[in-house]
Amino acid sequence: VESIVAQAQKLADLGHKEIVLTGVNISCYGQDLGNNVCDVIEAVAEIENIHRIRFGSLELDLFTDEMLVRMSKVEKFCPHFHLSLQSGCDKTLKAMNRMYDTKLYTDMMNRLRELFVKPVFTTDIIVGFPGETEYEFNETYEYLNRINLSKLHVFPYSIRKGTLASKMENQIEKNKKKERAEKLIKL
């Protein structure tokens, strides 16, 4: 925490007014140290010339209700939540080996709406994951249509050599991925 605060102080001294806390999985910060990301938010909020603190992309798996309540009490915390979703279809999420489902995602959004004034939600979506059927894509479309996000970052699935997904059957053709991505971008 002290190191992060020192970096934030240097940035504030250079005239920066906003600090964005980011990492591979920010929700697990501090587990090995006996604290959590709320300790960082509260400490950075003490810096006089910092006016806003926000997160980069967040994973849902480790945020406790106590952490959310603590964040909601920090006046300088900007309630913009980029909650990584990847798909609005639970079957596809399972195939992607995600540790959450749409119910957890919806529950998290609802809890954040209870705790924060006018929270903003953005997310990442991958279309055309191997085996994603038209029905499953439509589940994603309908789910996204219901949950009221401010912005979607839509990406067609691309093969990454050496990954499990690269070896999966039923790879989706490029034109189909492009069509699906355009539909979600329009949404």
Side-chain angles (χ1 to χ4, degrees):
V1 174
E2 294 79 18
S3 173
I4 295 168
V5 170
Q7 290 177 347
Q9 182 64 61
K10 285 179 186 177
L11 292 168
D13 294 344
L14 292 170
H16 297 277
K17 305 290 183 202
E18 177 178 85
I19 297 294
V20 179
L21 302 172
T22 189
V24 173
N25 188 343
I26 214 168
S27 59
C28 68
Y29 173 83
Q31 285 185 332
D32 55 337
L33 304 171
N35 56 15
N36 63 50
V37 73
C38 294
D39 299 306
V40 175
I41 294 167
E42 292 164 347
V44 171
E46 296 296 319
I47 299 172
E48 186 176 331
N49 292 327
I50 296 297
H51 298 281
R52 186 164 57 189
I53 304 161
R54 77 169 73 217
F55 285 135
S57 183
L58 299 173
E59 298 286 337
L60 303 175
D61 54 353
L62 297 173
F63 273 102
T64 65
D65 196 62
E66 180 230 340
M67 290 169 69
L68 299 176
V69 170
R70 282 177 65 189
M71 286 188 291
S72 73
K73 294 180 180 178
V74 178
E75 287 184 31
K76 293 180 180 182
F77 184 76
C78 177
H80 167 225
F81 300 97
H82 187 81
L83 305 173
S84 187
L85 179 58
Q86 309 304 342
S87 177
C89 170
D90 289 336
K91 184 176 177 187
T92 304
L93 288 171
K94 188 173 184 174
M96 291 177 166
N97 203 25
R98 300 294 169 177
M99 300 298 141
Y100 52 86
D101 58 16
T102 55
K103 181 183 181 329
L104 176 63
Y105 196 89
T106 303
D107 290 348
M108 177 64 82
M109 288 180 71
N110 289 338
R111 183 61 175 140
L112 292 168
R113 286 182 172 121
E114 290 172 7
L115 291 170
F116 293 89
V117 177
K118 297 182 182 179
V120 173
F121 300 99
T122 57
T123 197
D124 300 317
I125 297 292
I126 297 172
V127 296
F129 190 77
E132 181 187 63
T133 65
E134 200 65 36
Y135 179 83
E136 292 164 354
F137 169 75
N138 287 328
E139 274 191 43
T140 293
Y141 183 90
E142 293 304 322
Y143 179 73
L144 294 170
N145 196 37
R146 284 193 311 271
I147 62 172
N148 196 20
L149 295 164
S150 295
K151 185 169 183 166
L152 299 173
H153 298 274
V154 181
F155 305 93
Y157 167 78
S158 58
I159 294 175
R160 300 281 190 257
K161 194 174 180 180
T163 64
L164 291 175
S166 71
K167 298 173 187 135
M168 289 178 161
E169 294 180 13
N170 300 318
Q171 296 287 331
I172 308 299
E173 64 181 53
K174 186 176 182 178
N175 288 341
K176 179 57 74 177
K177 290 188 279 190
K178 182 179 178 190
E179 177 187 309
R180 290 176 181 178
E182 288 172 357
K183 188 173 179 180
L184 289 185
I185 289 167
K186 187 176 180 183
L187 176 67

